[in-house]
Amino acid sequence: DVGLQLLENSVASMLALATVGAPLALSGCGGHREDSASGDAATQVAAVEPTGGPAPVIPAAAAPPAASLEAGRLTEAAQSVAPDIAVSLADTLVGRGEVVEIEARGTSDIVDITLSDGIGNPQPFAYDSTADLWRARYRVPLRPTWERTGLSVTARNADHRWRRVWIFLRIRPEASPLTTAPPDSM
């Protein structure tokens, strides 16, 4: 009878621990959540066993340290965020075989930017320090299979964090030879 009581108590303790521990363990999976704690006290959760006695208090997962400023510079934890980038080009309506110049302006932590159309190898942007811009050239295919093509511009920083921006080019329809022929001179 004592052995059965001991078994029931240990099963109840494991269930109480699983009830509290499982959500804490799963809170880091599959999504982004912002936690905040008021003051320095850690949030605590108490579970009650079915036998009526309180289970041990288990501290909740601690919130990540907030970014702090040290002499005007962010700490390492705050610097490990993805860079930001803004991309521009003169016109999104382009002709077949035309060369398009793409400019990008980004945050100071960017170490490289690449351009990709998904067909060939990604090509790097070149940094122009006088204009504080990144530049690349792209040649529109002569025989595109779509009326619109997407280009990805990916910026990376030294911490291997990245941000991708998409730009879409609309390809001018080719003039039909029948519509460009001069009228008969009869």
Side-chain angles (χ1 to χ4, degrees):
D1 190 38
V2 174
L4 184 58
Q5 179 75 18
L6 185 60
L7 180 62
E8 287 176 356
N9 285 343
S10 60
V11 168
S13 295
M14 288 191 315
L15 286 175
L17 189 57
T19 303
V20 173
L24 292 176
L26 293 177
S27 68
C29 298
H32 177 69
R33 183 178 96 171
E34 291 186 24
D35 293 326
S36 63
S38 60
D40 292 327
T43 306
Q44 297 184 350
V45 178
V48 178
E49 290 185 15
T51 60
V57 176
I58 302 169
S68 62
L69 295 176
E70 291 179 3
R73 296 185 62 179
L74 293 173
T75 60
E76 266 186 51
Q79 288 179 348
S80 66
V81 297
D84 196 14
I85 185 171
V87 180
S88 63
L89 60 140
D91 192 9
T92 58
L93 184 62
V94 296
R96 299 162 192 263
E98 186 178 328
V99 175
V100 178
E101 185 168 333
I102 301 166
E103 295 179 343
R105 184 174 305 272
T107 54
S108 61
D109 60 338
I110 294 175
V111 294
D112 73 87
I113 300 177
T114 56
L115 174 72
S116 177
D117 62 0
I119 299 171
N121 293 329
Q123 75 180 61
F125 274 65
Y127 182 67
D128 180 0
S129 61
T130 58
D132 193 28
L133 284 174
W134 294 80
R135 291 192 170 109
R137 291 182 178 207
Y138 174 75
R139 181 175 300 276
V140 179
L142 285 173
R143 296 186 181 184
T145 56
W146 307 280
E147 294 175 4
R148 186 175 106 153
T149 187
L151 302 175
S152 72
V153 178
T154 306
R156 289 181 178 78
N157 64 14
D159 292 330
H160 304 291
R161 304 285 184 173
W162 56 272
R163 169 110 30 205
R164 180 169 292 140
V165 178
W166 290 89
I167 54 175
F168 294 92
L169 303 175
R170 293 177 301 146
I171 302 188
R172 267 188 228 114
E174 221 173 37
S176 169
L178 297 176
T179 59
T180 58
D184 288 342
S185 58
M186 287 175 98

